[in-house]
Amino acid sequence: MKLTCDILDTRLSKPDVIIDATLDRLRNKFVDRRKKHLGYPYNLDFDAEPISQFGEFLINNLGDPYVGSHYGTEVSCVERDVVDWIMRAWECGDPEEYWGAVGASGTEGNLWAIYLARETLGNPVLVHSKEAHYSVPKAAKILRIEALTCEADHTGAICPDALREVIQANRHRCVILALTCGTTMKGAHDDIASCISVLDQVGIDPSRRFVHVDGALNAMVLPFVDGLPSGIRPSFRHGIDSISTSGHKMIGTPMPCGVLVVRREHVRRVASTVSYLRSDDTTLMGSRNGHAVLAIWNRLTRLGIAGFRHFARTCIERADGFAGALRSESVPVLLNPCSLTVVFPKPSERLVNEYQLACHGNCAHAIVMPNVKADLIDRFVGDFIAEWPCNSRQKVFS
Ligand SMILES: *Cc1c(COP(=O)(O)O)cnc(C)c1O
């Protein structure tokens, strides 16, 4: 897209005029695109007003959140509050035993967790399902860790039997197991408890393993669901090592960001062995975005547990209604239990663009986030059905 307006000649117009016109144009586009957004797991209903007054400050949380820096315009105390809140949601027990930080994204959390895992285990193999987010194999590539893919079932969850086979074949090695709480395409939840028992049964004891849970979206949904099967709950009670989530997904922030929580022993090891110059060099990035910390804190504090429970309940209900409406027109739909991700056959390019759907092969998905209300769902279902059954009727979820 050409950024500046065609009517403006950048050689003749004053910068102020160019800037105003360009920003106006962007703003109008964003207002329009936000209204019809269905495809990405972003909670666009956030309230950024209370933190907008900080736009004039460079807020930089340099270094370890528990140490801080001499740069005065920082919010590491707020960051520790954010991490404490999330540690409770993920059932950390004694917070002293855990470490957490706000980073640039869910991807950064995955990369840093897998780095800590490698530093802990020496020369491990990383195992993840084929439905894992691409940032997981990417982290393995960056870190030069051998990565093995394991099959997932048709719902998108890791197959414990397939996992057993892969682990069995590598039983003499140390293993990093990267599980997913809410897969990107199908919104599936790997059963954390069953996967841990596979490791136990094959004889990969806790000293030879590191289990990371990538919970970019649903690690901020499942803790707030009533009657959740305990195996899929993103909880440190399973004996896992780390969980990461994205701030701009269920929490809802005006900038991409993420939170990682990890057992403190792993961070301590890195702080003392790798970085002998600065024992507080425990984050991937040196400078970190303090605005993101304020944005997450504003959301957690305002919404409280009750707010997230409300999100979880209403979004799951709406996703059920969405799936039901498509099914009643005999559209094949996949919707995992306690998931917000509705998978259906890929519609026309026009609808894919209009609703900003994410597609994979002949499937597309919509994600029912808190800003996706009944009117948007109805409008999309109407548009979809209008072109159905011109869509391919092939078997879609294989
Ligand atoms: C979105 C997503 C990520 C990446 O998170 P970012 O914050 O976009 O970097 C990782 N894993 C899963 C399962 C995701 O859905």
Side-chain angles (χ1 to χ4, degrees), residues 41-42 104-108 110 131-136 180-184 214-217 245-249 256-258:
Y42 306 152
S105 63
T107 297
E108 185 191 317
N110 287 345
E131 296 282 340
H133 189 258
Y134 60 86
S135 59
V136 170
T180 311
C181 176
T183 61
T184 309
D214 172 4
L217 170 61
T245 196
S246 301
H248 54 291
K249 291 188 176 172
C257 54

Side-chain angles (χ1 to χ4, degrees), residues 330-342:
S330 55
V331 178
V333 176
L334 173 70
L335 172 61
N336 274 299
C338 309
S339 185
L340 317 182
T341 307
V342 183

Side-chain angles (χ1 to χ4, degrees), residues 6 31 82 103 105 148 157 195 198 213 244 297 318 369 373 379:
D6 303 330
V31 167
V82 162
S105 63
L148 299 173
C195 293
V198 167
V213 174
S244 61
W297 176 82
R318 266 186 231 139
M369 298 302 286
K373 308 257 160 60
R379 188 143 42 95

Side-chain angles (χ1 to χ4, degrees), residues 119-363:
E119 294 304 297
T120 300
L121 299 176
N123 180 26
V125 59
L126 171 80
V127 179
H128 62 84
S129 99
K130 70 170 203 229
E131 296 282 340
H133 189 258
Y134 60 86
S135 59
V136 170
K138 182 163 72 179
K141 191 161 189 202
I142 293 170
L143 295 165
R144 291 180 182 261
I145 300 170
E146 185 188 342
L148 299 173
T149 313
C150 151
E151 278 304 308
D153 63 23
H154 74 284
T155 71
I158 197 166
C159 249
D161 289 337
L163 176 66
R164 188 187 314 276
E165 240 170 71
V166 175
I167 301 287
Q168 187 76 44
N170 291 276
R171 64 187 175 283
H172 301 302
R173 306 211 35 197
C174 292
V175 173
I176 305 172
L177 178 59
L179 300 176
T180 311
C181 176
T183 61
T184 309
M185 274 316 297
K186 296 178 179 169
H189 306 109
D190 292 338
D191 192 306
I192 302 169
S194 319
C195 293
I196 300 257
S197 18
V198 167
L199 293 173
D200 285 338
Q201 286 156 13
V202 178
I204 312 284
D205 61 58
S207 69
R208 288 203 297 133
R209 71 194 192 203
F210 188 110
V211 180
H212 172 63
V213 174
D214 172 4
L217 170 61
N218 286 355
M220 283 304 288
V221 178
L222 296 199
F224 312 106
V225 172
D226 288 328
L228 185 76
S230 65
I232 61 173
R233 187 180 174 113
S235 163
F236 280 91
R237 287 196 194 164
H238 296 295
I240 57 176
D241 296 278
S242 53
I243 306 181
S244 61
T245 196
S246 301
H248 54 291
K249 291 188 176 172
M250 186 44 93
I251 298 172
T253 58
M255 71 289 282
C257 54
V259 183
L260 171 69
V261 171
V262 55
R263 287 186 190 275
R264 189 172 276 277
E265 62 191 278
H266 303 313
V267 176
R268 231 182 257 131
R269 196 175 301 110
V270 165
S272 60
T273 61
V274 178
S275 139
Y276 39 87
L277 290 182
R278 290 183 61 93
S279 69
D280 56 349
D281 188 13
T282 54
T283 51
L284 180 59
M285 300 298 162
S287 292
R288 292 181 301 108
N289 186 345
H291 297 276
V293 170
L294 289 179
I296 296 177
W297 176 82
N298 172 51
R299 294 292 286 166
L300 299 180
T301 308
R302 187 168 302 270
L303 291 161
I305 306 272
F308 283 94
R309 288 170 63 87
H310 177 76
F311 280 164
R313 194 174 54 246
T314 52
C315 291
I316 289 170
E317 268 170 26
R318 266 186 231 139
D320 278 336
F322 190 158
L326 289 176
R327 281 183 186 131
S328 70
E329 299 286 340
S330 55
V331 178
V333 176
L334 173 70
L335 172 61
N336 274 299
C338 309
S339 185
L340 317 182
T341 307
V342 183
V343 190
F344 42 78
K346 184 177 167 182
S348 65
E349 267 323 292
R350 184 179 67 83
L351 292 192
V352 167
N353 290 329
E354 183 169 343
Y355 293 94
Q356 301 150 66
L357 303 178
C359 303
H360 184 74
N362 49 6
C363 294

Side-chain angles (χ1 to χ4, degrees), residues 35 50 67 90 102 126 130 152 155 161 334 358-359 371 376 381 385:
K35 278 192 292 219
V67 179
W90 294 343
V102 174
L126 171 80
K130 70 170 203 229
T155 71
D161 289 337
L334 173 70
C359 303
N371 56 297
L376 178 55
V381 170
I385 297 302

